Amino acid sequence: MKRIKKLFIFSLLALSVPGFAQGPAVKSRILVLTDIENEPDDTQSLVRFLTYSNQWDIEGLVATTSIHQPNRVAPEKIKQLIQAYGKVRNNLLLHEKGYPTTEYLLSITKPSIPEFGMQAIGDGKDSEGSEWIIKVIDKKDDRPVWIPVWGGANCLAQALWKVRKTRAPEDVKQFVSKIRMYTISDQDDTSPWIRKNFPDLFYVGSPGYHAAGAYHYATWSGISGDKFHGRFVGANFEIVDNPWLDEHVRSHGPLGAEYPFTKFLMEGDTPSFLGLIENGLNVPEHPEYGGWGGRYELYKPRTLKYFYEPETRPIYTDAMDEVKGVDGNFHTSNKATLWRWREAFQNDFAARMDWTVKPFKEANHPPKAVSKNGNAIKAKTGEKVTLSAEGSQDPDGNALSYEWIYYPEPGSYNVKEPLGIVDAKAVTTSFTAPKVMQPETIHVILAVTDNGKPALTRYQRVIVTVYP
Ligand SMILES: [Ca+2]
Ligand SMILES: [Ca+2]
């Protein structure tokens, strides 16, 4: 009875606000592998991750090794951060529902074995972590399991090794089909091993590579890259630098106090889950669409930094966007696919840190962006395509501003010239469907930003298919 009522209410909501249909009705399942304690940035990433823990069904937090920390795993550090989160959980619940309990999070925190790379693969190398990974993937649940890999991948490699050794090929295939893996470069030699041995595995990774006498930085470095890490002159560095983090994160209660000072780059591991946040822009199953975590296209990657092995298969890897930077110039780079959203995802994190210490009325909450005409529009060449954000709203009653962004790169049309959107800052606007020779897709992103502090942005992605 209750269920029917819920379904009824949900369908009413879906009818009244069509854009909500792609909202968080189904949460993503996530299992994180982290070489936490190798340097400050895993700890930083885990603080941010915990403030979003109500967005997902978190199913595992596994402490691993990596090239930077080959003989140690540090589950105790994960537990320390969960305890700090426990002190602010009640306050987070004033702002949004669904934050998991500390008891639950502690129960899914597991260690891998403290050995490096392929040395930890084979008979007798099972660990609490690798057994847990198998258990989570085997669960009777049709949703895939997203596995952000912040260090080495050998705990997952051992799980795959064991499943392949003990199961029939079709069962291995089924197991692999549930995995969605994102690695922050190759931090041990099991990443290339996984790619080679499991060619069907959904794999997103940006290794960075040497070419033409220069090192090309991995997409993930766009999270906070600075002069030292490749001079991303178009990106705003101030909002990822220590003074900003002092003001908006470290000064904020028991969880903020756990956020360490940045030694190299802020949160190098965070791009692995930024693209899983429900914001209306991110479409996790389509890394080539682009989102807060950057954009990745399916092809064979270049030579890898640490563990060279000829690549045998395509993965989702570095894609290029042309983006206007804060310096006023256009930049075409893989890092730009990530730093283009930096202000929005930093403000979002700052608001969530406010949630850990402030009452509802003193903090900001994101608007709800609505695309009145839905997320898939069909049009013929020469036809007028109407775009409307009518019905967008803000839970704090903030004033909203609108921006319709033509995003050429993910579409098949992919023409860099402006699309001719009549007034890109209006609630309702239009453009004329361009001339095409065959059906082509055009991605238009609606960004709705409130005037709260900090200003928060939510999106709708409208994919217009144009027919000749
Ligand atoms: Ca790491
Ligand atoms: Ca607001």
Side-chain angles (χ1 to χ4, degrees):
M1 193 59 186
K2 250 185 182 166
R3 188 144 176 247
I4 292 169
K5 210 170 172 186
K6 257 189 194 164
L7 276 173
F8 179 64
I9 291 168
F10 180 76
S11 53
L12 271 184
L13 276 172
L15 276 177
S16 56
V17 277
F20 282 17
Q22 68 173 31
V26 179
K27 289 184 176 184
S28 296
R29 304 173 68 199
I30 302 194
L31 186 154
V32 174
L33 307 185
T34 168
D35 61 333
I36 195 160
E37 287 293 70
N38 86 87
E39 58 177 348
D41 66 344
D42 290 67
T43 303
Q44 294 180 333
S45 290
L46 192 52
V47 168
R48 186 188 299 245
F49 184 84
L50 288 168
T51 69
Y52 285 94
S53 58
N54 67 324
Q55 284 250 323
W56 309 304
D57 286 333
I58 300 173
E59 304 219 14
L61 297 164
V62 179
T64 70
T65 60
S66 76
I67 191 168
H68 309 292
Q69 181 176 270
N71 303 308
R72 180 190 170 197
V73 297
E76 69 282 358
K77 185 68 183 183
I78 300 175
K79 290 178 181 169
Q80 180 189 324
L81 263 74
I82 293 170
Q83 296 293 0
Y85 157 85
K87 292 180 189 158
V88 301
R89 177 177 172 257
N90 283 340
N91 216 76
L92 284 164
L93 285 165
L94 300 175
H95 301 270
E96 270 188 17
K97 281 187 277 190
Y99 280 94
T101 63
T102 52
E103 291 73 20
Y104 171 73
L105 290 172
L106 291 170
S107 77
I108 58 160
T109 300
K110 310 284 175 187
S112 180
I113 52 174
E115 290 181 47
F116 176 68
M118 290 302 291
Q119 293 156 23
I121 307 303
D123 282 316
K125 301 292 187 178
D126 295 334
S127 64
E128 264 187 68
S130 67
E131 292 293 296
W132 185 252
I133 291 171
I134 295 173
K135 204 172 159 186
V136 166
I137 295 170
D138 277 346
K139 227 190 244 179
K140 288 212 182 328
D141 190 320
D142 290 336
R143 292 172 296 166
V145 181
W146 292 90
I147 307 186
V149 183
W150 300 359
N154 66 0
C155 193
L156 174 59
Q158 174 65 13
L160 286 162
W161 180 89
K162 184 176 183 181
V163 163
R164 189 171 68 173
K165 199 186 172 203
T166 55
R167 298 184 187 180
E170 62 269 27
D171 296 335
V172 177
K173 207 177 160 89
Q174 156 69 14
F175 185 85
V176 167
S177 75
K178 291 186 77 176
I179 300 171
R180 305 284 181 274
M181 185 175 172
Y182 182 126
T183 55
I184 298 295
S185 293
D186 287 354
Q187 296 186 52
D188 70 20
D189 52 357
T190 66
S191 287
W193 181 85
I194 290 173
R195 290 197 290 274
K196 196 171 166 184
N197 285 275
F198 300 91
D200 297 333
L201 195 148
F202 185 109
Y203 195 111
V204 188
S206 171
Y209 58 90
H210 290 278
Y215 182 67
H216 296 260
Y217 288 95
T219 296
W220 57 258
S221 63
I223 179 89
S224 57
D226 59 9
K227 223 157 60 172
F228 175 72
H229 284 83
R231 202 170 244 295
F232 312 152
V233 286
N236 182 352
F237 184 66
E238 248 173 55
I239 58 174
V240 291
D241 200 6
N242 280 311
W244 188 95
L245 295 165
D246 280 338
E247 185 185 343
H248 297 282
V249 183
R250 293 189 193 102
S251 57
H252 282 50
L255 188 58
E258 294 289 340
Y259 193 95
F261 194 80
T262 310
K263 265 198 213 155
F264 305 106
L265 281 182
M266 179 203 80
E267 296 184 44
D269 297 314
T270 292
S272 64
F273 66 85
L274 269 186
L276 301 175
I277 292 168
E278 277 288 348
N279 60 6
L281 171 72
N282 297 331
V283 186
E285 290 283 341
H286 286 283
E288 77 281 14
Y289 282 6
W292 277 2
R295 203 169 69 77
Y296 307 87
E297 290 174 357
L298 193 62
Y299 65 94
K300 230 188 258 183
R302 303 248 200 152
T303 307
L304 308 179
K305 191 177 176 188
Y306 298 118
F307 306 102
Y308 177 72
E309 184 159 352
E311 293 294 331
T312 52
R313 55 161 292 189
I315 62 170
Y316 286 102
T317 190
D318 306 324
M320 306 288 246
D321 281 359
E322 187 186 77
V323 182
K324 193 174 186 180
V326 290
D327 57 351
N329 297 320
F330 282 92
H331 302 265
T332 300
S333 94
N334 59 325
K335 278 80 66 182
T337 68
L338 210 162
W339 62 242
R340 65 185 301 160
W341 312 110
R342 193 183 277 175
E343 193 176 331
F345 64 67
Q346 286 300 85
N347 281 354
D348 217 64
F349 179 35
R352 287 195 174 235
M353 288 312 299
D354 284 346
W355 297 3
T356 70
V357 290
K358 290 181 179 176
F360 189 92
K361 279 196 169 165
E362 289 174 27
N364 195 15
H365 307 85
K368 308 243 185 287
V370 171
S371 167
K372 202 180 167 194
N373 305 82
N375 301 99
I377 296 178
K378 288 176 180 171
K380 274 193 161 180
T381 292
E383 234 173 29
K384 183 176 157 184
V385 178
T386 301
L387 304 166
S388 178
E390 255 177 58
S392 297
Q393 51 189 280
D394 187 84
D396 312 295
N398 294 132
L400 300 177
S401 59
Y402 305 86
E403 191 175 6
W404 297 93
I405 304 161
Y406 169 42
Y407 194 174
E409 287 88 352
S412 69
Y413 178 64
N414 196 6
V415 170
K416 295 279 157 59
E417 280 75 51
L419 195 57
I421 295 173
V422 174
D423 179 356
K425 307 259 176 180
V427 181
T428 299
T429 184
S430 67
F431 69 95
T432 304
K435 188 172 166 54
V436 295
M437 304 305 283
Q438 59 189 42
E440 304 281 8
T441 55
I442 295 175
H443 287 230
V444 179
I445 309 298
L446 163 66
V448 178
T449 303
D450 69 17
N451 70 342
K453 267 195 182 149
L456 297 177
T457 303
R458 283 296 178 272
Y459 311 83
Q460 286 287 310
R461 182 187 296 264
V462 182
I463 302 178
V464 183
T465 307
V466 182
Y467 296 85

